[in-house]
Amino acid sequence: MAGSRHCRLGPASCALALTMLLSLAGCLNDDGGDPAPTAQPAHGGQWLDSGTAWSHGTYVAREGVEECRACHGRDLAGTGGDAGAPGCAGCHAGVSGHPDGWVDGAAHGPAATRPGARCGTCHGADQQGGWTGVACAGCHGAAQDVHPADWGLPELHGAAVLTEGAGCAACHGSDYRGGSAGVSCYACHDGPGGHPAGWVAPARHGLEAAGGGAAGCTYCHGEDHRGGWSGVSCYTCHPGPTGRHGDGYRTPEQHGADVRAGGTAMCVTCHGADLRGGHVGVSCYQCHDGPGGHATGWALPANHGAAAAGAGLAACADCHGADSRGGWSGVSCWACHDGPGGHPAGWATEAGHGADVRSRGPAACAECHGTDLRGGPHANSCWSCHDGPGGHPVDWSQKAAHGSAAVGTGVNDCTACHGADYRGGWSVVSCWSCHYGPSGHPLGWAAKAQHGAFVGLNTPVSCKRCHGNDYLGGTTGVSCNDCHHGIGGHVVTWAFSSQHGDYAMTFGSVSCRTCHGADYRGGWSGISCYRCHDGPNP
């Protein structure tokens, strides 16, 4: 007990020292000669069992290695020989007791960042070395940093990310937004990929990937560019790693179909807001007259007009909208035309389409409005407003309609459609089908029993509208004097006594009253028998 009071070591240390002394004592003969042939173990049976309370690892972690130097050498490399104390390097990477390769960040880094890590036991609570004399700051920027000094440089942490990839998640979190380290990759980058903010824009990553640049993308996105450790696949947005369109995309069946379905909004990212090339240098105008995709010169009526007339307007709706007022193309048919029909503004007026039809006929209209002019591919029927292709209003065939018009303005305008002889012209509708020519009188009107009877009963006053106030032709160009001796309707030689005199002697003068009046003094004819006679008697 007295001896124990002079021992300044801890119980375990005293035991170790005692064991070592006994061991040394056993190494010599009683006379101090050569070493004994065998050496007795200095440590207990559990000394080499890792993790036990009496293991050497537990002891060293608690007490350090200073006392070990007495037997294992100042450098702990061992004293050599079969009976000598072994060196720590026989099993460990050094006196620390860590396994080989522990100095590699991939080995000690995860252990150091694991919750409950006990590095401070050996390296000191301040990580400045402790009994090991190995400070974290020797390799790292600061004691609390797990990365080497200047780790923030792209050539250091960037290179590590390219080779190790997902290893960063241990400290920075599975979403790389900070984790236990509290440092988010997004603070400087657009994500764990390490690209600068805004990298997703084609003008950034697209230019880098152009040419052979895409080869460098494989470090993170994988050899097949489908994500790799980054989990971001080039195929999410592109048809392949080049970022360009796939083979055959330049055919109308591919890019044309895409544009018709979704417009050109998606194209501007690469081809520019004006679609004249952008950063890819490929302009829509190289092959087309603009983003609409039509061939050069499409604005000419001979091009787009012929196409619209031939195939109809259904296909135009994809780009120009169902109402033909622009759609996604922003180009309205109404900007130049009075609608999708393609006619100029104001075409719906009589002075527009009416004048054109009168001069050329409706044959050209059949392309769009159908051979029967009831709509065709444009679905606009002439019959909607007219009684047919002639362009007359509905019910024009009624006497009160076309008859009044012919009487009022004459029939000269009718020749434009019905021909100079009024027998049909391009309209193929002859006035003679219903009338005695353009006069509008019924068939057989030239007979005395027709127009003669009419004049006798109604007087010729109504005839003035067509034949003129003097009955010499008027708008009809047909003069009563051509066949008669004036408006009375008598034959040209009727004034001769051998004509009207003989008639009166034979038939009497009663029938004369119809025109000359009951008193024979003129009546509606204005010709009095008393002018030449002393009355109705010859």
Side-chain angles (χ1 to χ4, degrees), residues 435-466:
H435 307 297
Y436 182 70
S439 66
H441 296 303
L443 295 175
W445 184 255
K448 176 181 178 181
Q450 288 272 3
H451 74 284
F454 177 86
V455 171
L457 292 173
N458 301 288
T459 76
V461 174
S462 60
C463 304
K464 291 181 179 181
R465 289 186 298 177
C466 302

Side-chain angles (χ1 to χ4, degrees), residues 55-83:
S55 72
H56 67 293
T58 304
Y59 174 83
V60 168
R62 185 178 66 250
E63 304 291 343
V65 296
E66 193 59 33
E67 293 182 358
C68 304
R69 300 182 193 277
C71 298
H72 295 273
R74 193 67 196 165
D75 57 1
L76 299 172
T79 56
D82 293 336

Side-chain angles (χ1 to χ4, degrees), residues 488-518:
H490 298 301
V491 296
V492 175
T493 57
W494 187 255
F496 297 145
S497 59
S498 58
Q499 290 284 334
H500 72 282
D502 289 347
Y503 178 88
M505 291 292 292
T506 303
F507 300 102
S509 60
V510 175
S511 62
C512 302
R513 294 177 182 179
T514 302
C515 301
H516 296 276

Side-chain angles (χ1 to χ4, degrees), residues 162 195 199 208-223 225 229 241:
L162 290 176
H195 297 301
W199 184 255
E208 291 291 335
C217 306
T218 58
Y219 290 114
C220 304
H221 297 276
E223 291 292 335
H225 298 273
W229 69 258

Side-chain angles (χ1 to χ4, degrees), residues 11-62:
S13 299
C14 290
L16 176 61
L18 179 60
T19 302
M20 292 175 67
L21 290 172
L22 292 174
S23 186
L24 289 172
C27 291
L28 300 174
N29 289 329
D30 292 339
D31 58 1
D34 295 333
T38 59
Q40 299 300 316
H43 303 296
Q46 295 183 352
W47 188 252
L48 296 179
D49 295 338
S50 176
T52 65
W54 295 99
S55 72
H56 67 293
T58 304
Y59 174 83
V60 168
R62 185 178 66 250

